[in-house]
Amino acid sequence: MEQHFPTQRIIDEEGRIIDGSKEHDLTKELALTLYEQMHRIRTFDRKAINLQRQGRLGTYAPFEGQEAAQVGSALALSDQDWLFPTYRDHGATLTFGADMVRTLLYWNGRVEGCVPSEKHIFPPAVPIATQIPHAVGAAWAEKRKGTTNVAVAYFGDGATSEGDFHEGMNFASVFQAPVILFNQNNQFAISVPIEKQMHSETIAQKAIAYGMPSVRIDGNDAFAVYFTMQAAVERARSGGGPTLIEAVTWRFGAHTTADDPTKYRDQARSRDRVDPLDRLEHFLKHQGYFDETWMQQLQERHQTEVEAAVAAMEQFKAPDINDLFDHTYATLPVDVQQQKEAYLLARGK
């Protein structure tokens, strides 16, 4: 089936153009924007890992290696579109306009981090694949309202083994919802390699059963991601219905900071992968777009932004213990009320 769904790319690992039909679209402005956003979210990601190791942030899901997939897809959306992320897609949400301080508060388990965004960003889905039917429903609602807004559901390869994936695909197909089902196939569902969790050769081919167009792309090629997503979005806006995109990528690090990937994966495979930022940097240099002064200013600007967000996050007053108890039930059950009272008594409150 791979011959029917070849992995499409626009630049190779060395940043050289291999799809001449897109050469005129690879503008300096687009290339620099993609690189800038990818560098920004990587700066955030590495800082978040360091914060967790220092005990200043809770368990965190890193995304290094998947920056091209997240930035390229999010940049193709418009302000009024809907974004339904997993727990690993804060790179996409930051690119789409999520607040960085609020994102850090979320990963610190703070209720302030769960306040709805002014953008159409659904809360990160920790249960696998549950966000897919939600995204399809939001897209269908926009269609019924007569807007041209679309929704995108992000999910990993493991999600395609869940019923929510198939239910969402079927619903999207039947109602021709303006939704993009964006799969980041990083080839491991936590510790389970893709060949042990599905027998089909590609994820893209799963769309055949639902009469839905699909495409398989190199998820580490920011240009391939951007233009594929752009085409799917335009198709959805014009009434063409849903699209399944399989972006083949790789997470360099652990599933989360509570995970040890060396227990189930040869980490030499990560060293052999071409970094998506390096690939785009090679392109910038080949085209004469790269400038050392610009790069230095970029690094300083992103470091300053991230450090300011961390400082703002850490200035929040201590969390209110009542937040643990008071947002689940209208009236607390007796056993939960007793637990709350016992805890407050132990704390001398």
Side-chain angles (χ1 to χ4, degrees), residues 110-126:
R110 297 292 298 258
V111 68
E112 297 91 342
C114 302
V115 175
S117 171
E118 52 277 357
K119 299 296 291 281
H120 292 161
I121 301 174
F122 206 67
V126 176

Side-chain angles (χ1 to χ4, degrees), residues 160-207:
T160 64
S161 294
E162 297 282 348
D164 297 84
F165 167 74
H166 297 280
E167 292 155 10
M169 291 279 286
N170 188 62
F171 195 102
S173 177
V174 169
F175 292 95
Q176 287 296 282
V179 61
I180 295 87
L181 299 124
F182 190 83
N183 167 249
Q184 291 173 89
N185 178 4
N186 66 24
Q187 302 167 66
F188 272 86
I190 308 182
S191 60
V192 180
I194 192 166
E195 62 270 15
K196 289 188 177 181
Q197 70 100 13
M198 73 178 204
H199 189 61
S200 54
E201 295 178 14
T202 71
I203 288 171
Q205 72 194 67
K206 296 178 186 290

